[in-house]
């Protein structure tokens, strides 16, 4: 029986996940991929979607069979014992001090570029964004689903508008270009593009809140991944057709560049608005996921009981307030220390990959039949991504090892376990 209100519909779930996956990526990643691989990036998108689907399917099956607000750490704990659940939860929560300030910086950057704001005004926008998420998060999950569904439609319509105005696809551009002689470019592009599909693990925390979790959660996850993949591919076609890529400055502003070329300079306002809303949607899913993880751990007696309270809408309000407060503090510290977005993202990325890797391994332990074989393949895929990241994952590995030693000292007799 669900411990939270079951109010999310299939469409609301698709809206929540698709906006989480699109996030800021739709404004940057297609251009970065095009710079790295040219027209071969269209093949890379199709390959990436094919590779991500087994991961998404594994998460879908795990969420279908074990819907829980604890999300990925709970699933990992079911497979490998309470020690791994604690370590995975801490590893996931360790994203808050670095990942969310980075996302806030990207979101406020849209207004900074448009109005020439100073650093203090930029920070005020970030804090105001967190305030808006706090207000929205006090409402039932279906409120977030409705708003993010509207944002998803706005993003899709923006890409469709570009296709319509530019009369795409153009006859001289093949939608399935020749890949001959370009195979070696695909790994570089895939390394950039993988992060477009970070967000699936945060979505698992909402599994308990679907009206029919066994039916709608896996469908929402799979449809959300496919929809996001299709939008990314369509945006890549536009970037290549309009030559909105090629260097760091062009790549970072590819969407505003395309809109201004097609509709004039005032289109920058539309680009800023859609970009900000996309960032807001992506961060909102993560903050809701963090709050539910903290609430779930408190509800099970693993964190102070005060964090297990819910408001009149059945939402874990105190846990959400804690997450917002920590985000505000970390954003202020990042502002004071003048940390760059690159610095923050580099530390967060490894955490996500390890959570994916542990979750897929949990799927191999918990699932049966063909789902278990797909989980094994997904585990191999995530292992390859860890190797691809190289030194960038060292922070996450060191953090995980340090947390493991501290937990071993605190619970020396508990040991490690694997569900048979």
């Amino acid at each position: 029986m669900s411990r939270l209100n079951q109010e999310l519909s299939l469409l609301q779930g698709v809206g929540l996940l698709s906006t989480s996956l699109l996030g800021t990526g739709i404004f940057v990643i297609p251009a970065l991929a095009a710079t790295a691989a040219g027209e071969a990036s269209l093949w890379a998108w199709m390959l990436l979607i094919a590779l991500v689907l087994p991961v998404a399917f594994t998460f879908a099956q795990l969420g279908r069979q074990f819907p829980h607000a604890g999300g990925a750490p709970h699933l990992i704990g079911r497979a490998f014992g309470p020690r791994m659940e604690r370590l995975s939860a801490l590893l996931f929560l360790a994203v808050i001090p670095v990942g969310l300030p980075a996302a806030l910086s990207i979101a406020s950057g849209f207004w900074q570029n448009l109005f020439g704001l100073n650093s203090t005004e930029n920070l005020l926008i970030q804090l105001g964004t967190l305030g808006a998420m706090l207000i929205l998060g006090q409402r039932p999950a279906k409120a977030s689903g409705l708003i993010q569904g509207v944002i998803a439609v706005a993003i899709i319509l923006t890409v469709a508008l570009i296709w319509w105005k530019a009369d795409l696809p153009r006859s001289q551009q093949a939608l399935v270009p020749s890949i001959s002689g370009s195979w070696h470019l695909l790994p570089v592009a895939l390394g950039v593009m993988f992060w477009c599909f970070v967000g699936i693990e945060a979505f698992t925390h909402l599994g308990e809140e679907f009206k029919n979790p066994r039916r709608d959660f896996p469908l929402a996850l799979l449809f959300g991944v496919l929809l996001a993949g299709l939008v990314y591919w369509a945006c890549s076609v536009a970037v290549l057709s309009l030559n909105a890529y090629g260097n760091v400055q062009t790549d970072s502003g590819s969407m505003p560049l395309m809109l201004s070329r097609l509709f004039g300079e005032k289109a920058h306002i539309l680009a800023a608005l859609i970009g900000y809303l996309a960032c807001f949607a992506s961060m909102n899913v993560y903050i809701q996921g963090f709050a539910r993880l903290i609430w779930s751990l408190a509800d099970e007696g693993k964190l102070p009981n005060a964090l297990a309270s819910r408001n009149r809408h059945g939402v874990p309000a105190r846990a959400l307030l804690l997450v917002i407060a920590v985000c505000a503090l970390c954003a202020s510290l990042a502002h004071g220390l003048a940390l760059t977005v690159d610095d923050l993202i580099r530390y967060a990325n490894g955490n996500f990959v390890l959570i994916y890797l542990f979750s897929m391994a949990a799927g191999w332990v918990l699932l049966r039949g063909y789902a278990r074989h797909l989980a094994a393949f997904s585990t191999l895929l995530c292992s390859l991504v860890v190797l691809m990241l190289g030194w960038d994952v060292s922070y996450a590995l060191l953090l995980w090892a340090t947390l493991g030693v501290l937990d071993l000292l605190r619970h020396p007799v508990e040991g490690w376990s694997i569900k048979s």
Side-chain angles (χ1 to χ4, degrees), residues 93-115:
L93 292 173
V95 173
I96 294 178
V98 287
L100 289 176
L104 283 167
S105 180
I106 295 172
S108 61
F110 286 103
W111 302 117
Q112 185 177 20
N113 292 335
L114 192 62
F115 297 112

PDB file of all heavy atoms in Angstrom, residues 93-115:
ATOM      1  N   LEU A  93      22.190  12.143  -2.397  1.00  0.00           N
ATOM      2  CA  LEU A  93      21.979  13.430  -1.734  1.00  0.00           C
ATOM      3  C   LEU A  93      23.203  14.334  -1.871  1.00  0.00           C
ATOM      4  O   LEU A  93      23.086  15.561  -1.791  1.00  0.00           O
ATOM      5  CB  LEU A  93      21.656  13.215  -0.252  1.00  0.00           C
ATOM      6  CG  LEU A  93      20.299  12.557   0.047  1.00  0.00           C
ATOM      7  CD1 LEU A  93      20.171  12.236   1.528  1.00  0.00           C
ATOM      8  CD2 LEU A  93      19.156  13.452  -0.401  1.00  0.00           C
ATOM      9  N   ALA A  94      24.380  13.732  -2.095  1.00  0.00           N
ATOM     10  CA  ALA A  94      25.599  14.525  -2.255  1.00  0.00           C
ATOM     11  C   ALA A  94      25.583  15.343  -3.538  1.00  0.00           C
ATOM     12  O   ALA A  94      26.447  16.214  -3.729  1.00  0.00           O
ATOM     13  CB  ALA A  94      26.825  13.610  -2.242  1.00  0.00           C
ATOM     14  N   VAL A  95      24.605  15.084  -4.407  1.00  0.00           N
ATOM     15  CA  VAL A  95      24.456  15.888  -5.621  1.00  0.00           C
ATOM     16  C   VAL A  95      23.930  17.285  -5.283  1.00  0.00           C
ATOM     17  O   VAL A  95      24.202  18.250  -5.994  1.00  0.00           O
ATOM     18  CB  VAL A  95      23.516  15.182  -6.622  1.00  0.00           C
ATOM     19  CG1 VAL A  95      23.218  16.077  -7.820  1.00  0.00           C
ATOM     20  CG2 VAL A  95      24.136  13.870  -7.089  1.00  0.00           C
ATOM     21  N   ILE A  96      23.177  17.398  -4.171  1.00  0.00           N
ATOM     22  CA  ILE A  96      22.530  18.668  -3.828  1.00  0.00           C
ATOM     23  C   ILE A  96      23.521  19.827  -3.755  1.00  0.00           C
ATOM     24  O   ILE A  96      23.288  20.883  -4.362  1.00  0.00           O
ATOM     25  CB  ILE A  96      21.745  18.536  -2.505  1.00  0.00           C
ATOM     26  CG1 ILE A  96      20.572  17.567  -2.677  1.00  0.00           C
ATOM     27  CG2 ILE A  96      21.226  19.900  -2.052  1.00  0.00           C
ATOM     28  CD1 ILE A  96      19.775  17.338  -1.397  1.00  0.00           C
ATOM     29  N   PRO A  97      24.663  19.688  -3.052  1.00  0.00           N
ATOM     30  CA  PRO A  97      25.552  20.851  -2.902  1.00  0.00           C
ATOM     31  C   PRO A  97      26.221  21.299  -4.201  1.00  0.00           C
ATOM     32  O   PRO A  97      26.715  22.430  -4.258  1.00  0.00           O
ATOM     33  CB  PRO A  97      26.606  20.357  -1.887  1.00  0.00           C
ATOM     34  CG  PRO A  97      26.001  19.180  -1.214  1.00  0.00           C
ATOM     35  CD  PRO A  97      25.131  18.545  -2.241  1.00  0.00           C
ATOM     36  N   VAL A  98      26.287  20.420  -5.215  1.00  0.00           N
ATOM     37  CA  VAL A  98      27.012  20.789  -6.431  1.00  0.00           C
ATOM     38  C   VAL A  98      26.122  20.819  -7.672  1.00  0.00           C
ATOM     39  O   VAL A  98      26.169  21.757  -8.473  1.00  0.00           O
ATOM     40  CB  VAL A  98      28.209  19.828  -6.666  1.00  0.00           C
ATOM     41  CG1 VAL A  98      29.315  20.110  -5.672  1.00  0.00           C
ATOM     42  CG2 VAL A  98      27.778  18.368  -6.578  1.00  0.00           C
ATOM     43  N   GLY A  99      25.283  19.804  -7.842  1.00  0.00           N
ATOM     44  CA  GLY A  99      24.482  19.705  -9.056  1.00  0.00           C
ATOM     45  C   GLY A  99      23.397  20.759  -9.160  1.00  0.00           C
ATOM     46  O   GLY A  99      23.232  21.404 -10.209  1.00  0.00           O
ATOM     47  N   LEU A 100      22.659  20.969  -8.074  1.00  0.00           N
ATOM     48  CA  LEU A 100      21.548  21.924  -8.135  1.00  0.00           C
ATOM     49  C   LEU A 100      22.022  23.376  -8.238  1.00  0.00           C
ATOM     50  O   LEU A 100      21.424  24.158  -8.980  1.00  0.00           O
ATOM     51  CB  LEU A 100      20.615  21.724  -6.947  1.00  0.00           C
ATOM     52  CG  LEU A 100      19.786  20.430  -7.037  1.00  0.00           C
ATOM     53  CD1 LEU A 100      18.951  20.226  -5.784  1.00  0.00           C
ATOM     54  CD2 LEU A 100      18.897  20.440  -8.265  1.00  0.00           C
ATOM     55  N   PRO A 101      23.078  23.798  -7.534  1.00  0.00           N
ATOM     56  CA  PRO A 101      23.598  25.151  -7.788  1.00  0.00           C
ATOM     57  C   PRO A 101      24.033  25.354  -9.229  1.00  0.00           C
ATOM     58  O   PRO A 101      23.873  26.448  -9.788  1.00  0.00           O
ATOM     59  CB  PRO A 101      24.787  25.259  -6.816  1.00  0.00           C
ATOM     60  CG  PRO A 101      24.433  24.355  -5.693  1.00  0.00           C
ATOM     61  CD  PRO A 101      23.716  23.196  -6.341  1.00  0.00           C
ATOM     62  N   ALA A 102      24.580  24.296  -9.854  1.00  0.00           N
ATOM     63  CA  ALA A 102      24.959  24.402 -11.266  1.00  0.00           C
ATOM     64  C   ALA A 102      23.733  24.632 -12.140  1.00  0.00           C
ATOM     65  O   ALA A 102      23.734  25.478 -13.036  1.00  0.00           O
ATOM     66  CB  ALA A 102      25.698  23.139 -11.711  1.00  0.00           C
ATOM     67  N   ALA A 103      22.664  23.854 -11.881  1.00  0.00           N
ATOM     68  CA  ALA A 103      21.432  24.009 -12.657  1.00  0.00           C
ATOM     69  C   ALA A 103      20.808  25.380 -12.426  1.00  0.00           C
ATOM     70  O   ALA A 103      20.291  26.010 -13.359  1.00  0.00           O
ATOM     71  CB  ALA A 103      20.443  22.903 -12.288  1.00  0.00           C
ATOM     72  N   LEU A 104      20.856  25.871 -11.183  1.00  0.00           N
ATOM     73  CA  LEU A 104      20.333  27.202 -10.891  1.00  0.00           C
ATOM     74  C   LEU A 104      21.119  28.270 -11.636  1.00  0.00           C
ATOM     75  O   LEU A 104      20.547  29.243 -12.142  1.00  0.00           O
ATOM     76  CB  LEU A 104      20.403  27.468  -9.382  1.00  0.00           C
ATOM     77  CG  LEU A 104      19.334  26.795  -8.511  1.00  0.00           C
ATOM     78  CD1 LEU A 104      19.724  26.890  -7.047  1.00  0.00           C
ATOM     79  CD2 LEU A 104      17.966  27.409  -8.746  1.00  0.00           C
ATOM     80  N   SER A 105      22.430  28.084 -11.718  1.00  0.00           N
ATOM     81  CA  SER A 105      23.266  29.048 -12.428  1.00  0.00           C
ATOM     82  C   SER A 105      22.936  29.079 -13.914  1.00  0.00           C
ATOM     83  O   SER A 105      22.880  30.151 -14.535  1.00  0.00           O
ATOM     84  CB  SER A 105      24.741  28.694 -12.221  1.00  0.00           C
ATOM     85  OG  SER A 105      25.583  29.604 -12.892  1.00  0.00           O
ATOM     86  N   ILE A 106      22.694  27.901 -14.491  1.00  0.00           N
ATOM     87  CA  ILE A 106      22.323  27.841 -15.905  1.00  0.00           C
ATOM     88  C   ILE A 106      20.976  28.520 -16.125  1.00  0.00           C
ATOM     89  O   ILE A 106      20.789  29.281 -17.084  1.00  0.00           O
ATOM     90  CB  ILE A 106      22.276  26.375 -16.389  1.00  0.00           C
ATOM     91  CG1 ILE A 106      23.683  25.766 -16.339  1.00  0.00           C
ATOM     92  CG2 ILE A 106      21.715  26.290 -17.805  1.00  0.00           C
ATOM     93  CD1 ILE A 106      23.704  24.277 -16.601  1.00  0.00           C
ATOM     94  N   ALA A 107      20.018  28.257 -15.216  1.00  0.00           N
ATOM     95  CA  ALA A 107      18.681  28.839 -15.353  1.00  0.00           C
ATOM     96  C   ALA A 107      18.724  30.363 -15.290  1.00  0.00           C
ATOM     97  O   ALA A 107      18.141  31.062 -16.130  1.00  0.00           O
ATOM     98  CB  ALA A 107      17.759  28.286 -14.266  1.00  0.00           C
ATOM     99  N   SER A 108      19.429  30.896 -14.292  1.00  0.00           N
ATOM    100  CA  SER A 108      19.499  32.356 -14.157  1.00  0.00           C
ATOM    101  C   SER A 108      20.328  32.981 -15.276  1.00  0.00           C
ATOM    102  O   SER A 108      20.167  34.160 -15.594  1.00  0.00           O
ATOM    103  CB  SER A 108      20.090  32.729 -12.799  1.00  0.00           C
ATOM    104  OG  SER A 108      21.406  32.227 -12.655  1.00  0.00           O
ATOM    105  N   GLY A 109      21.207  32.168 -15.885  1.00  0.00           N
ATOM    106  CA  GLY A 109      22.032  32.677 -16.973  1.00  0.00           C
ATOM    107  C   GLY A 109      21.230  33.139 -18.172  1.00  0.00           C
ATOM    108  O   GLY A 109      21.667  34.039 -18.918  1.00  0.00           O
ATOM    109  N   PHE A 110      20.043  32.538 -18.388  1.00  0.00           N
ATOM    110  CA  PHE A 110      19.196  32.978 -19.504  1.00  0.00           C
ATOM    111  C   PHE A 110      18.785  34.436 -19.328  1.00  0.00           C
ATOM    112  O   PHE A 110      18.785  35.213 -20.283  1.00  0.00           O
ATOM    113  CB  PHE A 110      17.955  32.088 -19.612  1.00  0.00           C
ATOM    114  CG  PHE A 110      18.233  30.721 -20.163  1.00  0.00           C
ATOM    115  CD1 PHE A 110      18.298  29.626 -19.338  1.00  0.00           C
ATOM    116  CD2 PHE A 110      18.450  30.534 -21.523  1.00  0.00           C
ATOM    117  CE1 PHE A 110      18.559  28.362 -19.836  1.00  0.00           C
ATOM    118  CE2 PHE A 110      18.713  29.279 -22.043  1.00  0.00           C
ATOM    119  CZ  PHE A 110      18.770  28.183 -21.196  1.00  0.00           C
ATOM    120  N   TRP A 111      18.436  34.818 -18.090  1.00  0.00           N
ATOM    121  CA  TRP A 111      18.038  36.205 -17.825  1.00  0.00           C
ATOM    122  C   TRP A 111      19.246  37.118 -17.756  1.00  0.00           C
ATOM    123  O   TRP A 111      19.170  38.290 -18.132  1.00  0.00           O
ATOM    124  CB  TRP A 111      17.237  36.269 -16.523  1.00  0.00           C
ATOM    125  CG  TRP A 111      16.019  35.412 -16.539  1.00  0.00           C
ATOM    126  CD1 TRP A 111      15.743  34.344 -15.739  1.00  0.00           C
ATOM    127  CD2 TRP A 111      14.909  35.525 -17.431  1.00  0.00           C
ATOM    128  NE1 TRP A 111      14.533  33.785 -16.066  1.00  0.00           N
ATOM    129  CE2 TRP A 111      13.996  34.490 -17.105  1.00  0.00           C
ATOM    130  CE3 TRP A 111      14.589  36.383 -18.490  1.00  0.00           C
ATOM    131  CZ2 TRP A 111      12.800  34.312 -17.787  1.00  0.00           C
ATOM    132  CZ3 TRP A 111      13.392  36.201 -19.167  1.00  0.00           C
ATOM    133  CH2 TRP A 111      12.514  35.178 -18.822  1.00  0.00           C
ATOM    134  N   GLN A 112      20.363  36.576 -17.281  1.00  0.00           N
ATOM    135  CA  GLN A 112      21.585  37.372 -17.212  1.00  0.00           C
ATOM    136  C   GLN A 112      22.042  37.805 -18.600  1.00  0.00           C
ATOM    137  O   GLN A 112      22.422  38.967 -18.814  1.00  0.00           O
ATOM    138  CB  GLN A 112      22.687  36.574 -16.522  1.00  0.00           C
ATOM    139  CG  GLN A 112      23.965  37.369 -16.288  1.00  0.00           C
ATOM    140  CD  GLN A 112      25.004  36.557 -15.534  1.00  0.00           C
ATOM    141  OE1 GLN A 112      24.954  35.334 -15.499  1.00  0.00           O
ATOM    142  NE2 GLN A 112      25.952  37.249 -14.929  1.00  0.00           N
ATOM    143  N   ASN A 113      21.986  36.875 -19.554  1.00  0.00           N
ATOM    144  CA  ASN A 113      22.389  37.201 -20.923  1.00  0.00           C
ATOM    145  C   ASN A 113      21.413  38.171 -21.583  1.00  0.00           C
ATOM    146  O   ASN A 113      21.803  38.987 -22.427  1.00  0.00           O
ATOM    147  CB  ASN A 113      22.477  35.916 -21.755  1.00  0.00           C
ATOM    148  CG  ASN A 113      23.609  35.021 -21.304  1.00  0.00           C
ATOM    149  OD1 ASN A 113      24.582  35.486 -20.728  1.00  0.00           O
ATOM    150  ND2 ASN A 113      23.471  33.721 -21.533  1.00  0.00           N
ATOM    151  N   LEU A 114      20.149  38.084 -21.182  1.00  0.00           N
ATOM    152  CA  LEU A 114      19.131  38.921 -21.812  1.00  0.00           C
ATOM    153  C   LEU A 114      19.149  40.349 -21.272  1.00  0.00           C
ATOM    154  O   LEU A 114      19.020  41.312 -22.035  1.00  0.00           O
ATOM    155  CB  LEU A 114      17.749  38.293 -21.588  1.00  0.00           C
ATOM    156  CG  LEU A 114      16.587  38.855 -22.404  1.00  0.00           C
ATOM    157  CD1 LEU A 114      16.806  38.656 -23.890  1.00  0.00           C
ATOM    158  CD2 LEU A 114      15.279  38.204 -21.966  1.00  0.00           C
ATOM    159  N   PHE A 115      19.334  40.497 -19.959  1.00  0.00           N
ATOM    160  CA  PHE A 115      19.212  41.814 -19.328  1.00  0.00           C
ATOM    161  C   PHE A 115      20.533  42.328 -18.758  1.00  0.00           C
ATOM    162  O   PHE A 115      20.558  43.415 -18.171  1.00  0.00           O
ATOM    163  CB  PHE A 115      18.173  41.760 -18.204  1.00  0.00           C
ATOM    164  CG  PHE A 115      16.786  41.435 -18.682  1.00  0.00           C
ATOM    165  CD1 PHE A 115      16.181  40.233 -18.342  1.00  0.00           C
ATOM    166  CD2 PHE A 115      16.087  42.316 -19.494  1.00  0.00           C
ATOM    167  CE1 PHE A 115      14.907  39.923 -18.772  1.00  0.00           C
ATOM    168  CE2 PHE A 115      14.799  42.017 -19.937  1.00  0.00           C
ATOM    169  CZ  PHE A 115      14.207  40.813 -19.582  1.00  0.00           C
TER     170      PHE A 115
END
